[in-house]
Amino acid sequence: MSTTANTADHPAIVGKLSTLDRFLPIWIGVAMVLGLLLGRLVPGMNDALSSISVDGVSLPIAIGLLIMMYPVLAKVRYDRLDTVTGDKKLLLGSLALNWILGPALMFALAWLFLPDLPEYRTGLIIVGLARCIAMVIIWNDLACGDREAAAVLVAINSVFQVVMFAVLGWFYLSVLPGWLGLDQTTIEASPWQIAKSVLIFLGIPLIAGFASRHFGERAKGRDWYETSFIPKIGPWALYGLLFTIVVLFALQGDRITSQPLDVVRIALPLLVYFAVMWGGGYALGAAMGLGYERTTTLAFTAAGNNFELAIAVAIATYGATSGQALAGVVGPLIEVPVLVGLVYVSLALRRRFTSSPTAPVSQSKES
């Protein structure tokens, strides 16, 4: 499951992984604890991190995500993207999971688990509307999914996000509750706010990754790029991930530890959501015969969420100390350990799959 080493199915491969890769769950756990301790014990840490922002975008989180995403997107074989765009089953399956099932499922779970807590309920619905365009890239890579498919699906999600986020927010927070006789609310999400999230967290690393491959291969050839350049930048994806986790937990460490019961109540529907979306993606991919790589990509792109956008919208609409904002923050705090666990589940399921004729053998073996 390495981003820095060959990940063929040979049982001895674990012994060949770097220390960083082999003990990834431990490093992630340490990063989570460190973030919580910093947020809880260091006076002013939350305010200091929150103040380092530009136009509402947290610079520490942005830096961590960009460092995390660049190496993975630099590995993408952009000359293979046409094999993904021609896979209609994959594209339609992803659209159905992300823009029909995902928001509807989160709406149902929010009302089922939090009928008496409208602020948290609204926050969860907003999380369900924000489809992942960032961290899912690394989960997919760790699980040896199809990098080219992930790049295409994330790009499609980004376009739909700009066009549909505000519309779906209006529908799930105002229209549908009205039809069902439930409480109604609204959100404030400008097209620029959504486009800004897409441009920063997907546009910058995507352009950098494409430029690296294009000019690197042009200058020194593909063999040098694959065997020399990629192994050098590969570990930085995990460094960026760990840094992002520390910052996320530090930002809300005090609040999380002071409201543990509220966090538990928010976490329960999220756990069900991630399990159903990921499992649904796997079941759909297997039923369509997509093969392991693309089934894995379909599952992880369906399960992840754009937490930065969800938190930004919740804060802009309801305030930084609102229950809606807390629900948005709890989202990635639950998502990180759950999806790390699902990476291992994916790898355990790998031998049950045979590669689909339309899905080339995983490019992760080239890294």
Side-chain angles (χ1 to χ4, degrees):
M1 55 163 277
S2 172
T3 55
T4 60
N6 189 326
T7 53
D9 284 334
H10 195 283
I13 194 64
V14 174
K16 301 178 183 179
L17 299 181
S18 69
T19 301
L20 179 66
D21 289 330
R22 195 180 310 130
F23 299 107
L24 178 61
I26 295 176
W27 306 140
I28 288 178
V30 170
M32 293 164 65
V33 173
L34 177 60
L36 285 173
L37 290 176
L38 287 173
R40 180 72 176 178
L41 302 178
V42 179
M45 174 63 71
N46 189 306
D47 292 338
L49 289 174
S50 299
S51 66
I52 309 174
S53 63
V54 176
D55 196 20
V57 176
S58 168
L59 287 184
I61 291 178
I63 290 170
L65 288 175
L66 295 179
I67 293 173
M68 177 188 74
M69 292 179 65
Y70 164 69
V72 182
L73 290 171
K75 295 176 185 178
V76 171
R77 289 283 296 273
Y78 293 92
D79 56 346
R80 289 182 179 174
L81 294 185
D82 59 334
T83 68
V84 181
T85 56
D87 191 342
K88 299 297 189 295
K89 292 188 294 184
L90 174 68
L91 299 183
L92 291 175
S94 178
L95 289 174
L97 287 169
N98 276 287
W99 298 101
I100 298 176
L101 178 61
L105 176 63
M106 190 67 91
F107 173 86
L109 291 173
W111 275 98
L112 179 64
F113 282 87
L114 303 170
D116 57 327
L117 297 171
E119 291 189 358
Y120 298 154
R121 184 178 65 234
T122 298
L124 282 183
I125 293 172
I126 293 173
V127 169
L129 300 177
R131 312 313 301 166
C132 194
I133 61 171
M135 200 170 281
V136 68
I137 294 286
I138 199 166
W139 304 136
N140 177 74
D141 204 53
L142 288 169
C144 300
D146 188 316
R147 289 190 192 117
E148 287 71 44
V152 170
L153 295 185
V154 164
I156 291 174
N157 275 346
S158 70
V159 173
F160 267 76
Q161 201 149 243
V162 173
V163 175
M164 296 300 298
F165 184 89
V167 175
L168 289 174
W170 166 73
F171 177 77
Y172 280 105
L173 293 174
S174 182
V175 177
L176 184 57
W179 290 349
L180 299 175
L182 304 172
D183 294 338
Q184 298 170 279
T185 186
T186 58
I187 60 171
E188 296 176 9
S190 69
W192 164 240
Q193 184 180 28
I194 301 164
K196 178 178 64 178
S197 173
V198 170
L199 290 172
I200 293 174
F201 298 113
L202 177 61
I204 292 175
L206 184 61
I207 291 171
F210 174 81
S212 294
R213 181 171 282 278
H214 176 76
F215 292 110
E217 288 187 357
R218 190 172 179 180
K220 295 195 173 184
R222 176 161 293 178
D223 183 65
W224 171 85
Y225 188 86
E226 297 282 357
T227 60
S228 298
F229 181 72
I230 285 180
K232 289 180 180 178
I233 66 170
W236 284 94
L238 298 184
Y239 300 152
L241 171 64
L242 296 175
F243 175 79
T244 303
I245 291 170
V246 171
V247 173
L248 278 171
F249 277 69
L251 276 168
Q252 297 292 334
D254 181 66
R255 196 170 181 189
I256 292 167
T257 53
S258 63
Q259 297 176 260
L261 294 180
D262 287 354
V263 170
V264 169
R265 289 204 61 181
I266 297 169
L268 290 175
L270 284 168
L271 289 170
V272 176
Y273 172 83
F274 291 133
V276 172
M277 292 300 296
W278 186 88
Y282 247 89
L284 182 60
M288 294 191 296
L290 294 181
Y292 174 80
E293 290 81 12
R294 291 190 177 175
T295 295
T296 296
T297 301
L298 182 65
F300 279 99
T301 52
N305 293 88
N306 184 351
F307 60 84
E308 179 67 19
L309 175 60
I311 294 170
V313 169
I315 290 175
T317 305
Y318 305 103
T321 60
S322 65
Q324 291 88 341
L326 177 61
V329 168
V330 173
L333 305 187
I334 301 302
E335 177 179 331
V336 168
V338 169
L339 293 192
V340 167
L342 291 175
V343 166
Y344 283 91
V345 176
S346 291
L347 294 171
L349 294 172
R350 193 175 184 187
R351 293 179 182 177
R352 296 177 179 271
F353 283 80
T354 56
S355 294
S356 167
T358 60
V361 174
S362 176
Q363 67 289 347
S364 60
K365 297 179 181 179
E366 299 169 1
S367 61

